[in-house]
Amino acid sequence: MSLLDAARRAVRHYPGGLDAMALRLQKQPGTLERELRGTPGYKLGAVDALEITVLAQEQGGEYALAYANSVADALGAMLVLLPRDGSVRSASAQDVALLMRECAEVVMAVANVEADGRITRRELEDLERQWADVVGAGQVLLRNMRARHDADVLSHRAAVEGAR
């Protein structure tokens, strides 16, 4: 997924869409739309792309991390989120099973694409989107597991100190 595609998806899925995001960025909606489309003479700046990512993540948007994942992917890296707010959501075996199912769906999609020996641009974009979704879901799962671990450590410390 291209950087602009990732930013577009984050904006499109933000509550209120483009108009709400433009307001938050203190931009005219038409200007933001042109930046997101890559219209000649308009560029989405790094600071704005970061702000879009942060705002989308605050709202828990489906594509909030798409831009950051695209940057990481371009660098041959992986984005790993750290807990920010101390909230803990249970990550169950079902969450892991769903993630593994998504991984299997990507592998099956790759096998289907390779069947004819050619990869079209659309097929590649679909695979990139599917893979970004899996990576994003894995990051959320790991963040929740990390937060649960940290909460367990704090609880244990409090219990040990309370026993003294």
Side-chain angles (χ1 to χ4, degrees):
M1 174 181 320
S2 78
L3 291 173
L4 287 179
D5 286 339
R8 274 192 293 271
R9 287 187 178 161
V11 169
R12 189 177 313 127
H13 288 86
Y14 186 75
L18 180 92
D19 291 336
M21 185 64 77
L23 181 65
R24 295 293 307 268
L25 296 173
Q26 300 179 356
K27 290 179 176 269
Q28 293 296 318
T31 301
L32 180 57
E33 182 180 7
R34 288 178 192 94
E35 290 174 351
L36 291 169
R37 277 192 285 138
T39 301
Y42 291 86
K43 292 183 180 181
L44 182 66
V47 173
D48 287 336
L50 174 62
E51 189 66 18
I52 288 168
T53 301
V54 169
L55 291 169
Q57 186 181 13
E58 286 174 357
Q59 294 298 316
E62 182 179 353
Y63 293 98
L65 300 174
Y67 183 85
N69 277 323
S70 293
V71 171
D73 184 58
L75 298 171
M78 183 175 82
L79 178 67
V80 177
L81 294 178
L82 302 175
R84 295 178 72 132
D85 61 1
S87 65
V88 179
R89 185 186 75 78
S90 177
S92 66
Q94 182 177 353
D95 293 329
V96 175
L98 288 173
L99 179 60
M100 292 300 101
R101 187 170 118 203
E102 288 182 32
C103 286
E105 288 171 2
V106 171
V107 171
M108 183 59 86
V110 168
N112 290 337
V113 165
E114 290 181 328
D116 66 1
R118 293 181 36 237
I119 300 175
T120 67
R121 180 180 174 96
R122 182 181 181 95
E123 289 171 332
L124 180 59
E125 288 172 352
D126 286 346
L127 290 174
E128 288 173 337
R129 179 190 47 76
Q130 289 175 350
W131 182 246
D133 290 347
V134 168
V135 170
Q139 289 170 331
V140 169
L141 176 68
L142 287 175
R143 182 171 76 182
N144 292 331
M145 296 298 282
R146 188 175 292 108
R148 283 182 57 197
H149 169 266
D150 293 348
D152 288 347
V153 168
L154 289 175
S155 175
H156 178 74
R157 286 183 186 159
V160 168
E161 290 177 9
R164 289 183 195 184

